[in-house]
Amino acid sequence: MASEGLKRFPDEKRFYVTVGNAAGRSEQYERALDVFGRAYQRWPEDQTFREQLSSSHLMYGMQLLDKHKDLEAERQLRAAAELSPNVDAFLNLGRALHNLNRSVEALAQFDRVIEIGPNTPLAYFHRGLVLGALGEYDEAIASLTHEIQSNSNYPPSYLLRGEINMKRGDWA
């Protein structure tokens, strides 16, 4: 019904919100991007459409990350971060960049996450992962130790810290 309303009354904002949100809830992120993108083009000053468009980019980017479509995910997550900077967009953008072997850029994203949201779960884990890949073992261990102290229920932090210690020759 709302989709029909959107066609018949393109100046009515509420139809964009209803159709876009329904698309997002059903994980039809490309549809949500289309609807919120058109709304944002029409009303660029409307913060609701800006945030909904950013959220759609974020959710679509995360879906693409889960499917290992990292290049496409990076584009979506970068768009999300540009529209509405937030820790989730930066964290997942960093993940995509790391998967694309762009470690220095990924590290910058994780540092940004920690700067604006120091208690963000897994931020220090991902930072440690990238630092380990860059061969910055002491910094990697410090980040992973921080993650373990704040989130002791995430086994990969222990595993990665152990692996990095082994690379340093610290078998204990």
Side-chain angles (χ1 to χ4, degrees):
M1 202 167 186
S3 291
E4 188 59 35
L6 184 59
K7 291 177 193 170
R8 293 182 62 199
F9 305 102
D11 293 330
E12 185 60 49
K13 290 181 178 183
R14 65 186 166 144
F15 290 124
Y16 290 88
V17 172
T18 303
V19 172
N21 283 339
R25 277 192 303 276
S26 61
E27 297 184 8
Q28 297 174 353
Y29 300 121
E30 290 174 283
R31 172 80 169 132
L33 286 168
D34 174 59
V35 171
F36 288 129
R38 286 187 286 135
Y40 182 63
Q41 283 180 337
R42 270 187 108 118
W43 300 286
E45 73 288 343
D46 191 315
Q47 195 62 24
T48 299
F49 292 128
R50 181 184 193 93
E51 289 172 8
Q52 293 287 22
L53 182 58
S54 176
S55 179
S56 298
H57 280 293
L58 174 63
M59 297 308 293
Y60 188 38
M62 290 171 59
Q63 183 183 65
L64 291 167
L65 264 178
D66 290 343
K67 294 178 179 179
H68 307 289
K69 296 181 178 182
D70 299 313
L71 191 57
E72 296 168 54
E74 185 256 344
R75 284 188 215 111
Q76 295 299 323
L77 295 163
R78 190 172 301 283
E82 290 171 359
L83 283 164
S84 182
N86 67 68
V87 294
D88 290 328
F90 296 135
L91 181 74
N92 287 290
L93 176 57
R95 289 177 56 217
L97 291 166
H98 176 70
N99 292 349
L100 292 166
N101 295 316
R102 292 163 53 191
S103 298
V104 173
E105 291 175 79
L107 183 60
Q109 295 303 317
F110 297 132
D111 286 343
R112 181 184 278 177
V113 168
I114 291 166
E115 180 182 315
I116 61 176
N119 297 321
T120 302
L122 301 180
Y124 283 92
F125 169 79
H126 288 293
R127 185 175 190 274
L129 179 68
V130 170
L131 286 165
L134 290 170
E136 301 290 335
Y137 299 140
D138 291 337
E139 281 189 70
I141 288 173
S143 285
L144 292 163
T145 299
H146 187 280
E147 183 68 39
I148 290 167
Q149 289 171 344
S150 63
N151 180 12
S152 62
N153 295 323
Y154 191 65
S157 296
Y158 295 94
L159 176 64
L160 184 58
R161 187 175 68 173
E163 289 173 349
I164 292 172
N165 274 314
M166 287 176 14
K167 287 180 183 177
R168 286 189 345 178
D170 182 358
W171 294 92

